[in-house]
Amino acid sequence: MDPEVAKKLFLEGGTLVFLDVPPGTEFGIDMQCWNTGEKFQGVKMIPPGFHFIYYSAVSKEGQTAPRTGFFHTFHKKEVLVKRYDRAMEDLVDEAVSDEEKAEFRRRLMELDSKLGPYPYDVYRDWVSLTNYISSRVIEELRPLNHKISSASELIVDPPTATGTESTRRKIRAVEDYEGLLPNMHTKPGTEIRFTGFPDQNHPVGCSAAEISKHNMDLSYTLEEMMKRYRYAEAEDDFLGELQMSFVCFVVGQVYDSFEHWKRLIHLLCSCDDALVARHTFEREIGRAHV
């Protein structure tokens, strides 16, 4: 890259300051991933717009922990400061004052050698994969704790069985090992809030013939899902959710996102009537690049 261009990108682009990251940690932004070195303290020259930052702890034996990440929309000259807790192997949720951010901004030239450059060689690929993901889509779909984790955070359901029932379960467990396992569910606030599918693929009161038709052509299901978005941006938001589910699987390594993406693709491939009525939407699907 031309030195003058690099200097302009450094001064005009966004900067992620990532403090206290242990050497060898797996770290990535968008489509590029590395293992950090001794001097690593973040990324510079980040183009304005939507980005996905992720990381995984790596043990001395080289085993990599599940990936965790977060979405952030960078603005021109923005400095985002994050701190890593080595004991928790995760980011610390501590507020950084405007004065501290301004101080980091003032010291950017000093930090230059400790900041990795944004990987512009894959930037075009990233933009093509996320061109329908808006700030509105991110806010509505990302977990309430703002973290995307490849491993679901589970909590144990409170016990409800009586003593007699518990004893019976233990007896049955001799033949059924699953009886020994506690009931668990995803911790509230940690799941990606994808749009749910309708309970049924047809309107209430349909005849058997109409039910068969709606199960062969899922246009009704698509239209019902569209109603859950804001009307003016419904088609773009649907494609934004399609792209976000794809990115969360491919980059974030979230398997549930893969399952949701498959269901959305199957839906789009099974709604001929709706795509005929929404002829511009059919063209936009081809531009989503997923």
Side-chain angles (χ1 to χ4, degrees), residues 75-107:
H75 301 286
K76 185 177 179 180
K77 297 184 179 182
E78 179 182 359
V79 176
L80 177 66
V81 182
K82 296 289 183 180
R83 188 178 301 276
Y84 189 87
D85 187 304
R86 299 192 179 200
M88 296 174 55
E89 296 184 345
D90 201 355
L91 295 182
V92 180
D93 292 325
E94 60 179 32
V96 179
S97 67
D98 292 338
E99 291 76 13
E100 290 177 293
K101 291 180 181 179
E103 178 62 17
F104 278 111
R105 184 75 200 172
R106 187 186 64 80
R107 294 177 49 221

Side-chain angles (χ1 to χ4, degrees), residues 50 71 129 133 137-139 141-143 148 192 194 239-249 257 290:
F50 155 76
F71 295 106
L129 284 176
I133 302 178
V137 170
I138 296 172
E139 287 298 322
L141 299 185
R142 68 180 175 182
I148 306 294
I192 303 174
F194 289 128
L239 294 177
E241 180 165 345
L242 178 68
Q243 288 186 329
M244 187 166 172
S245 62
F246 186 77
V247 167
C248 285
F249 168 62
S257 295
V290 289

Side-chain angles (χ1 to χ4, degrees), residues 164-177:
T164 302
E165 292 172 339
S166 179
T167 302
R168 290 174 180 170
R169 286 185 61 189
K170 290 178 181 178
I171 294 173
R172 290 197 305 269
V174 175
E175 298 178 354
D176 179 14
Y177 291 108

Side-chain angles (χ1 to χ4, degrees), residues 31 118-130 289:
M31 305 295 291
Y118 179 86
Y120 276 90
D121 54 329
V122 296
Y123 181 54
R124 185 184 297 273
D125 295 336
W126 174 251
V127 171
S128 68
L129 284 176
T130 60
H289 298 289

Side-chain angles (χ1 to χ4, degrees), residues 10 39 41 44 103-115:
F10 177 74
K39 297 182 179 180
Q41 288 192 9
K44 59 187 176 182
E103 178 62 17
F104 278 111
R105 184 75 200 172
R106 187 186 64 80
R107 294 177 49 221
L108 276 185
M109 296 304 295
E110 300 175 26
L111 295 172
D112 183 34
S113 62
K114 300 177 182 179
L115 301 173

Side-chain angles (χ1 to χ4, degrees), residues 50-52 69-72 126 128-144 146-148 191-195 229 236-254 256-258 260-261 264 288-290:
F50 155 76
H51 297 280
F52 183 57
F70 62 93
F71 295 106
H72 185 77
W126 174 251
S128 68
L129 284 176
T130 60
N131 55 330
Y132 284 98
I133 302 178
S134 63
S135 297
R136 180 179 61 256
V137 170
I138 296 172
E139 287 298 322
E140 292 181 355
L141 299 185
R142 68 180 175 182
L144 295 177
H146 292 186
K147 290 182 180 179
I148 306 294
E191 69 278 6
I192 303 174
R193 297 172 292 164
F194 289 128
T195 303
Y229 301 101
D236 285 353
D237 285 358
F238 183 94
L239 294 177
E241 180 165 345
L242 178 68
Q243 288 186 329
M244 187 166 172
S245 62
F246 186 77
V247 167
C248 285
F249 168 62
V250 173
V251 185
Q253 300 179 352
V254 181
D256 288 346
S257 295
F258 177 52
H260 188 70
W261 174 80
L264 292 178
H289 298 289
V290 289

Side-chain angles (χ1 to χ4, degrees), residues 7-27:
K7 183 178 180 180
K8 182 176 180 180
L9 291 172
F10 177 74
L11 295 175
E12 299 292 325
T15 303
L16 168 67
V17 179
F18 207 7
L19 304 173
D20 300 335
V21 181
T25 298
E26 187 177 271
F27 171 85

